[in-house]
Amino acid sequence: QRFGSGAPGQVTINAQSVQLEKGASINLLNFYEGPGGNITINASQELNIAGDGSVGPTGSTGLLAQGLFSPLASFGGNPAYTYADSGSITVNAGTLRVSGDGIITTTSVALGNSGDININAGDIYLSDRPAHINANSYFGGSSGNINISASGQIQINNGFVIFADSNGTGAGGNVNITAGKSISISGEASGISTQSAPPSPAFFDFIA
């Protein structure tokens, strides 16, 4: 994780198959102004993210490259502790599966920008709520862009959402999805979203 002005770390994983489940996560969290670290997963056969409600160190199952307020933000008044940018996430996989409460996220929960998410796969299966792929920004920064490309099919169902919303003053991101064969979306609340919408007062109270 990045807490100061040094260069962020990078994580690259090369394997035939990668599986994250039961609260397991690969995460690069940035708490200082400037860029966060990037995560790259190259799984020639499959990347499977299957959350089952288990709570790990990050509280999530999946891939996280996020910008957050520094624990020191409330002490010194240093703007550097509040303007952390998220990193980016790149996935190259034969098949991508995300289900349960699994996530792929570059959300900015500070005043910085959210990072991009780039996914290239053969077939992509995205299922369940609250599982999601998101690159949104909660406060002052712009949201990242989400680019998803499959040579085969993309299935989105059972409440799964892909979104690059802006919940603050920054711009929302772009979501670009292409498939060589088909794209199907089914089930209540399943879908793709990019919008500007303020968070609830309860969320601001929580952050404060």
Side-chain angles (χ1 to χ4, degrees):
Q1 319 307 350
R2 181 173 180 267
F3 289 92
S5 58
Q10 315 292 330
V11 170
T12 300
I13 293 180
N14 301 304
Q16 289 184 340
S17 176
V18 177
Q19 178 148 325
L20 297 171
E21 60 181 355
K22 300 179 180 178
S25 63
I26 299 168
N27 63 89
L28 287 177
L29 307 180
N30 181 28
F31 297 90
Y32 197 82
E33 69 177 354
N38 302 316
I39 298 173
T40 301
I41 307 293
N42 299 309
S44 59
Q45 293 182 0
E46 181 179 72
L47 169 60
N48 184 24
I49 301 173
D52 66 352
S54 300
V55 178
T58 63
S60 303
T61 298
L63 305 176
L64 302 88
Q66 295 180 295
L68 302 109
F69 287 117
S70 169
L72 301 176
S74 60
F75 293 100
N78 186 344
Y81 294 143
T82 63
Y83 280 91
D85 293 331
S86 301
S88 66
I89 295 176
T90 300
V91 172
N92 301 301
T95 300
L96 171 65
R97 301 179 188 272
V98 184
S99 62
D101 61 355
I103 64 173
I104 298 175
T105 179
T106 59
T107 293
S108 170
V109 194
L111 300 179
N113 298 315
S114 175
D116 293 339
I117 297 175
N118 299 295
I119 297 173
N120 299 284
D123 294 317
I124 298 175
Y125 303 98
L126 309 173
S127 178
D128 304 330
R129 191 175 186 88
H132 59 267
I133 295 173
N134 72 314
N136 64 310
S137 172
Y138 273 111
F139 294 110
S142 297
S143 300
N145 299 314
I146 299 176
N147 302 297
I148 299 176
S149 177
S151 59
Q153 61 180 318
I154 298 175
Q155 294 184 9
I156 304 169
N157 58 65
N158 200 28
F160 192 101
V161 181
I162 300 169
F163 61 100
D165 298 345
S166 170
N167 298 118
T169 58
N174 298 316
V175 179
N176 304 295
I177 299 178
T178 61
K181 293 183 178 179
S182 63
I183 299 172
S184 65
I185 302 174
S186 64
E188 184 177 355
S190 301
I192 301 162
S193 169
T194 177
Q195 61 181 334
S196 295
S200 68
F203 178 81
F204 282 121
D205 290 343
F206 170 77
I207 294 298

